[in-house]
């Protein structure tokens, strides 16, 4: 679904049916320790860009709303882990690279 910022995000949910104005981030909603989410946070959220850059099926994202320096602003902070290696992924846009290692072991059939 398209966020208020205009990006496609699989975690954004909105319901405007019959005058409703329900919007939620279903990624931030998974974290009960997160500060309150508001739709304006989608504007600078790294998740849509991250998902375009890395479509790995093993990548799991966690997100929470945190205060920025000085405590005046808020932003969505994202962390990632890999279900294949069970390790944290410090750079989710690039991934952990472990899947690429196994791709290197594949052999293409030789031409007859
Ligand atoms: S805050 Fe980020 S993850 Fe959540 S709906 Fe908006 S763009 Fe998607």
């Amino acid at each position: 679904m398209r966020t208020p910022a205009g990006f496609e995000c699989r975690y954004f949910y909105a319901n405007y049916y019959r005058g409703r104005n329900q919007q939620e981030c279903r990624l931030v909603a998974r974290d009960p320790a997160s500060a309150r989410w508001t739709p304006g946070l989608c504007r600078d959220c790294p998740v849509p860009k991250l998902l375009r850059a890395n479509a790995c099926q093993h990548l799991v994202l966690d997100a929470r709303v945190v205060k920025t320096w000085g405590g005046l602003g808020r932003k969505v902070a994202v962390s990632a882990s890999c279900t294949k290696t069970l390790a944290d992924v410090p750079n989710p846009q690039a991934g952990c690279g472990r899947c690429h290692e196994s791709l290197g072991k594949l052999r293409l059939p030789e031409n007859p």
Side-chain angles (χ1 to χ4, degrees):
M1 189 171 259
R2 194 172 290 265
T3 68
F7 304 110
E8 280 297 323
C9 180
R10 71 171 77 147
Y11 299 109
F12 181 72
Y13 172 79
N15 180 6
Y16 306 114
Y17 183 69
R18 291 195 175 185
R20 290 185 183 93
N21 189 17
Q22 178 190 4
Q23 295 173 315
E24 62 184 66
C25 171
R26 292 190 164 172
L27 182 60
V28 170
R30 288 185 203 161
D31 187 342
S34 173
R36 192 173 65 88
W37 177 87
T38 52
L41 291 165
C42 291
R43 193 187 67 179
D44 297 319
C45 178
V47 170
K49 188 175 172 188
L50 197 159
L51 293 175
R52 283 196 306 271
N54 187 351
C56 180
Q57 62 183 338
H58 303 293
L59 190 70
V60 176
L61 300 179
D62 293 301
R64 64 169 50 182
V65 177
V66 297
K67 289 185 176 176
T68 56
W69 280 90
L72 297 175
R74 301 182 315 137
K75 69 174 187 176
V76 177
V78 179
S79 59
S81 57
C82 173
T83 58
K84 187 173 183 182
T85 62
L86 304 179
D88 290 341
V89 180
N91 184 0
Q93 284 204 19
C96 64
R98 298 297 297 270
C99 293
H100 301 120
E101 290 171 4
S102 51
L103 282 176
K105 294 176 187 162
L106 290 175
R107 289 190 174 193
L108 296 174
E110 294 183 21
N111 290 335

